[in-house]
Amino acid sequence: MARLGPWVPDRTPGGPDMPPVGIAVSGGADSLCLAFLAARWRRAVRALVVDHRLRAESAHEALLTLDRLRDLGIPADLLVLEGLRRGPGLADRARRARYAALTRACRQAGIIDLLLGHHADDQAETILIRRRAASGPDGLAGMAWISSTADLRLVRPLLGFGKERLRATLRHAGLAWIEDPSNADVRAERARVRGALAGDPERAELARRSAARAGRARMVADHGQAVALAARTEYAPGGWVALPADLLCPRALASVLRMVSGGDYPPSRRAVDALAAAPRAATLGGACLLPAGPALRRAGLAWLVVREEAAMDAAVPARAGACWDGRFVLWAPPGLVLDGVTFGAAGPVARWAPPGWRSRWPARAWRTLPALHRDGRVVAVPLAGICHAPDLADVRIALLPGALAAESGLFGDLPPDGPGDGPGVGPGGEFALAVQERPDMGV
């Protein structure tokens, strides 16, 4: 865990309360083992148990998991997902709902580090699935040891260990876990890949090795992209980005489009490649590429990426902590009454900007700003510094995109002493091979 830091200091007896490290727990062997180990590593931890409500037994299993965690001295919260239905795209819909619920719970609890129970076998499965989907080099790096969202570090400490070692750890500790029958449902692609790899450990190891190689290459590319984008692009608090012409390469463009749209994934590689090769005004993946106006061109910025208006979410009730369009969070003073106020797109500038108001950014960008509405009209656009309702003057809105324009993940081999300290060993190195030789040993 020290190699996956830095971490918020742990709580000490008699000392001040410290923000806990979160642990996503399903009740299965992988996440329960993670919780067991995390509680032995530090005191300030908190488990988040997600009940997807997709099986009749799930409510009972979630309560059983809460009991097991409390027996281990681990405080835990239950997060119930409502509205999920079986059907096409269930795995993706469930994943989105799960991460949204985990993010909200972490924000409320002050958690900035969330531990996830993905392991070496999951990594091998991911690589084979992405190969079949013709993922690019970044996708074939697999899952990262550390990845970041707008307000969370997602940490996967078990990527170097196979699932049999995790189960051996639980058996040695005398702990039972829940087996989810949907994990063996061959109608799901991951279950089919899991079955194929179960009888071919050499293929699984080759997949993990390839992920480590691709991960090292991805970190080099991510670093170069981060330096270039930080130095030469302009980011607006309203969520749009201006770029110079020579940074409109496919990789950077895909990342910026994803960040501005708030999408889980970048647009298709083929579409991004075509747009980067022949830049033009276009809409792609929930964002729009526009030629920059004269003021931006004088600053060396040739293109603007803004949110696609037609793809933005509908307005939501305004309340402290409300999130709109997957990118903006509302903050309000305690006790402020927001009854009758909604939180959504600002819309046409003429409806809310004072007379004579001018900006170097185009109206098409300003229309995508988050605003507060009351009685059918815009009463405040905090990110533009405009407020027509004195009682809302202290409301703030922050941009918290779910995706970053430049990733900061730790892929490939885990460094021996800390991120960036050396080549190390990891999922594809000698240490991983050694631990796989004795699955009965546990972690």
Side-chain angles (χ1 to χ4, degrees):
M1 298 305 290
R3 291 181 283 169
L4 294 173
W7 302 100
V8 173
D10 196 6
R11 184 177 64 242
T12 56
D17 288 343
M18 302 301 294
V21 169
I23 315 162
V25 180
S26 67
D30 312 334
S31 59
L32 190 62
C33 182
L34 175 63
F36 168 72
L37 293 169
R40 294 165 67 90
W41 161 61
R42 61 178 288 149
R43 296 180 180 88
V45 296
R46 188 169 201 89
L48 303 171
V49 178
V50 178
D51 177 7
H52 294 77
R53 290 291 169 93
L54 290 171
R55 295 183 296 112
E57 308 86 355
S58 69
H60 170 71
E61 291 171 350
L63 294 176
L64 180 59
T65 300
L66 290 174
D67 288 341
R68 288 171 174 166
L69 290 166
R70 286 165 185 153
D71 288 344
L72 292 170
I74 302 172
D77 297 318
L78 177 61
L79 312 179
V80 178
L81 305 186
E82 303 288 355
L84 278 177
R85 297 290 183 268
R86 293 196 175 276
L90 175 61
D92 185 56
R93 288 186 285 112
R95 183 191 64 80
R96 291 170 185 251
R98 178 170 62 252
Y99 276 96
L102 288 168
T103 298
R104 286 193 299 270
C106 287
R107 192 175 291 147
Q108 291 168 2
I111 292 169
I112 59 173
D113 295 298
L114 179 64
L115 308 185
L116 304 174
H118 299 117
H119 50 69
D121 298 275
D122 291 329
Q123 184 75 296
E125 295 163 12
T126 297
I127 296 306
L128 294 190
I129 290 171
R130 291 185 180 180
R131 282 179 185 168
R132 292 180 179 181
S135 289
D138 285 356
L140 295 179
M143 293 179 286
W145 293 87
I146 302 170
S147 54
S148 299
T149 66
D151 49 3
L152 272 180
R153 274 195 344 141
L154 305 178
V155 185
R156 300 175 176 88
L158 302 180
L159 278 184
F161 303 96
K163 64 182 178 183
E164 289 306 320
R165 296 200 67 213
L166 308 183
R167 294 177 180 222
T169 300
L170 292 179
R171 284 192 291 267
H172 183 74
L175 296 174
W177 62 88
I178 292 166
E179 291 286 1
D180 184 346
S182 61
N183 290 332
D185 186 348
V186 294
R187 289 175 295 181
E189 181 182 21
R190 186 169 288 273
R192 295 194 297 272
V193 171
R194 185 176 298 126
L197 288 177
D200 194 347
E202 183 176 351
R203 186 183 181 194
E205 179 56 32
L206 288 174
R208 289 190 289 267
R209 284 180 177 272
S210 73
R213 290 192 296 272
R216 291 191 291 270
R218 175 171 178 169
M219 285 196 294
V220 171
D222 283 344
H223 176 74
Q225 180 169 304
V227 170
L229 289 176
R232 305 186 52 221
T233 57
E234 186 169 341
Y235 299 81
W240 54 84
V241 181
L243 305 99
D246 61 330
L247 271 187
L248 217 64
C249 59
R251 195 173 190 275
L253 179 58
S255 297
V256 171
L257 286 167
R258 179 187 172 199
M259 184 197 74
V260 170
S261 71
D264 289 336
Y265 305 103
S268 74
R269 282 192 298 147
R270 182 175 297 179
V272 173
D273 288 350
L275 187 57
R280 64 196 184 282
T283 298
L284 187 59
C288 302
L289 181 67
L290 308 172
L296 291 173
R297 287 199 300 270
R298 286 193 291 272
L301 300 166
W303 295 94
L304 190 63
V305 180
V306 304
R307 179 75 163 115
E308 180 190 0
E309 290 180 78
M312 292 190 298
D313 291 347
V316 299
R319 57 177 176 76
C323 182
W324 173 71
D325 203 40
R327 302 174 299 138
F328 294 99
V329 175
L330 185 150
W331 307 100
L336 179 64
V337 177
L338 293 171
D339 292 345
V341 181
T342 59
F343 177 28
V349 174
R351 295 182 183 176
W352 50 265
W357 189 75
R358 293 287 184 271
S359 168
R360 62 199 289 259
W361 302 106
R364 189 167 178 179
W366 288 108
R367 292 199 300 265
T368 67
L369 279 179
L372 301 177
H373 301 251
R374 179 187 281 154
D375 299 327
R377 66 186 186 91
V378 176
V379 291
V381 187
L383 290 175
I386 292 172
C387 183
H388 304 300
D391 61 314
L392 301 178
D394 292 328
V395 173
R396 298 289 180 264
I397 294 173
L399 172 67
L400 291 176
L404 308 177
E407 297 288 351
S408 58
L410 176 61
F411 293 86
D413 296 332
L414 184 62
D417 298 312
D421 287 343
V425 291
E430 295 176 1
F431 176 70
L433 289 177
V435 299
Q436 291 296 331
E437 291 173 3
R438 288 290 308 279
D440 59 305
M441 288 175 60
V443 177

